[in-house]
Amino acid sequence: MYTKDGTSYFIVDAHVALWDARPENQRNIHGKQFIDCFYDYHRNLSPDSELWTYEEYLYQGGERFMKDLFEDGYVDHAIFQPARLGEFYVDGFGQTEEAWALTQANPGKLTYNHNFDPRNGEAGLDQLRADAERFGLKGVKLYTAEWHGDSRGYKLDDDWTRRYLEVCREVGIRNIHVHKGPTIRPLDRDAFDVADVDHIATDFTDLNFVVEHCGLPRLEDFCWIATQEPNVHAGLAVAMPFMFTRPKYFGQILGELLYWVGEDRIQFSSDYALWTPRWLVESFVDFEIPAELTEYPALTENQKRKILGLNAAAMYDIEVPAHLRVADAEETATGPRGADRVADDLVGA
């Protein structure tokens, strides 16, 4: 929990990972390209005080993970969103067994989400059912640009993906986290396009689709989709550190999300270990939308509290102490925020 100026914030880091990108786990040059791209994001978007060496960036381990998040980082609960990347890493990029062991050892602090790849066909459907039972899954993380043999990506509205989402329904997985953001070398940029979110959210209205990285650099496309689909949510992973390097840009991102999507459908994330949560939490609590962005209203304390943890807590049924809760936003389920009130004013006129 983070407290400042008498206000306490329940923090849910909704997108974290334990990874192993050390040379012995790299299957080929692409494994090195991938982690090098991550490290470039880290170096270019972090304050000097938060920079890691390249060597410690390759692998953190559970002990450092717990310290960075829960001892130093103010986090009350964190949610694993692992990527497999089996074409690039011998034992995968996200470390399933290590992350699962940490989750079992810290059940009040960690939730483990897993992953699936619809290109695994029937065998993958059986594996998804087994994984859901073993891990008690409430969510999955998908990388639509992940390579698989000769394939360099898939779409959410492919026939096989739909079959996997039907199994998600069957086994009680309700939260589908999808990387739809900046590309990572050597993955293809267009394989992360957000258009397929529109199709699938319409057809699976009982599932939540959390678009990680809020579609960047396709923010406008994402907002026009999410504003009409009340089961589409915005994850702020990767967007958060722009508070430091480009505060006006971050103000535009957040202002657009609040206008189109609303304060109840935005989730904080450090994207650990890309960045650590401590400085991001502190910076966000202090953040104000720059004065020159006059079309956006000021951020409220309750909006920050929802984004920093309460929204993800509600999605994952994470218990929040009564004194840290706030009322739900009185907003329209779809459409630009406040559009209903504007319409009422016009009718009254």
Side-chain angles (χ1 to χ4, degrees):
M1 186 176 66
Y2 179 62
T3 300
K4 184 170 185 183
D5 297 333
T7 299
S8 294
Y9 301 82
F10 187 85
I11 308 297
V12 177
D13 199 335
H15 190 290
V16 301
L18 271 176
W19 67 58
D20 185 356
R22 290 174 292 188
E24 56 267 31
N25 194 35
Q26 294 174 14
R27 186 180 295 277
N28 47 42
I29 186 61
H30 300 312
K32 186 176 189 310
Q33 290 174 328
F34 189 89
I35 194 61
D36 286 357
C37 186
F38 264 25
Y39 192 60
D40 285 342
Y41 278 119
H42 171 74
R43 289 189 304 112
N44 293 328
L45 298 179
S46 301
D48 289 343
S49 62
E50 306 300 326
L51 291 176
W52 292 12
T53 67
Y54 180 74
E55 288 69 27
E56 61 187 338
Y57 208 70
L58 295 176
Y59 174 76
Q60 300 78 47
E63 184 175 346
R64 177 162 189 172
F65 173 94
M66 295 301 293
K67 183 178 188 299
D68 286 342
L69 268 69
F70 298 102
E71 292 183 32
D72 300 337
Y74 312 114
V75 173
D76 295 287
H77 198 100
I79 303 171
F80 280 114
Q81 309 288 359
R84 170 92 184 129
L85 299 173
E87 296 289 332
F88 303 161
Y89 297 98
V90 177
D91 293 323
F93 183 64
Q95 297 302 289
T96 296
E97 298 305 327
E98 190 172 7
W100 175 235
L102 275 181
T103 302
Q104 290 181 299
N106 300 276
K109 292 184 176 181
L110 291 166
T111 293
Y112 181 73
N113 284 355
H114 200 49
N115 46 65
F116 68 70
D117 190 321
R119 293 165 295 187
N120 288 329
E122 292 287 352
L125 292 174
D126 293 338
Q127 186 64 54
L128 177 58
R129 292 185 179 95
D131 290 338
E133 182 176 359
R134 178 191 177 194
F135 300 127
L137 295 179
K138 293 185 177 181
V140 291
K141 170 67 184 297
L142 307 182
Y143 246 57
T144 57
E146 184 164 353
W147 292 8
H148 189 283
D150 294 332
S151 170
R152 290 173 60 154
Y154 65 91
K155 293 186 179 298
L156 294 178
D157 55 348
D158 290 344
D159 289 343
W160 270 109
T161 313
R162 290 175 180 273
R163 291 186 62 181
Y164 277 69
L165 292 175
E166 287 166 358
V167 171
C168 286
R169 280 174 163 170
E170 169 193 319
V171 298
I173 298 172
R174 291 289 177 265
N175 305 316
I176 314 298
H177 297 253
V178 191
H179 181 115
K180 294 290 188 179
T183 194
I184 306 112
R185 189 183 186 200
L187 302 176
D188 296 339
R189 177 183 181 273
D190 289 346
F192 285 135
D193 190 276
V194 298
D196 53 350
V197 175
D198 188 12
H199 303 163
I200 211 70
T202 298
D203 295 344
F204 289 83
T205 57
D206 53 334
L207 302 182
N208 297 311
F209 292 89
V210 184
V211 175
E212 300 295 352
H213 324 297
C214 52
L216 295 174
R218 306 173 181 87
L219 179 66
E220 185 173 12
D221 288 348
F222 167 73
C223 285
W224 280 97
I225 292 169
T227 197
Q228 70 177 1
E229 304 289 353
N231 57 332
V232 172
H233 304 249
L236 286 177
V238 174
M240 298 297 301
F242 284 113
M243 286 185 292
F244 171 68
T245 57
R246 297 186 60 193
K248 183 177 177 181
Y249 178 53
F250 181 72
Q252 291 173 323
I253 292 171
L254 196 59
E256 291 297 311
L257 290 175
L258 287 168
Y259 179 80
W260 292 103
V261 185
E263 64 195 53
D264 289 334
R265 289 194 277 147
I266 306 172
Q267 298 181 7
F268 163 75
S269 163
S270 70
D271 213 351
Y272 186 89
L274 273 159
W275 298 277
T276 50
R278 181 183 60 81
W279 71 276
L280 293 173
V281 170
E282 293 174 349
S283 298
F284 187 69
V285 168
D286 291 343
F287 184 78
E288 301 293 343
I289 291 180
E292 61 266 37
L293 299 178
T294 56
E295 62 184 304
Y296 304 124
L299 278 172
T300 69
E301 191 175 89
N302 280 350
Q303 285 174 331
K304 292 178 179 180
R305 292 169 72 185
K306 289 183 176 186
I307 292 168
L308 280 170
L310 299 184
N311 292 338
M315 180 176 287
Y316 278 88
D317 300 318
I318 298 166
E319 185 175 356
V320 179
H323 69 286
L324 296 177
R325 303 171 192 166
V326 299
D328 290 337
E330 294 181 0
E331 297 282 4
T332 54
T334 59
R337 307 305 95 187
D340 54 333
R341 291 187 289 277
V342 173
D344 291 342
D345 291 343
L346 291 174
V347 170

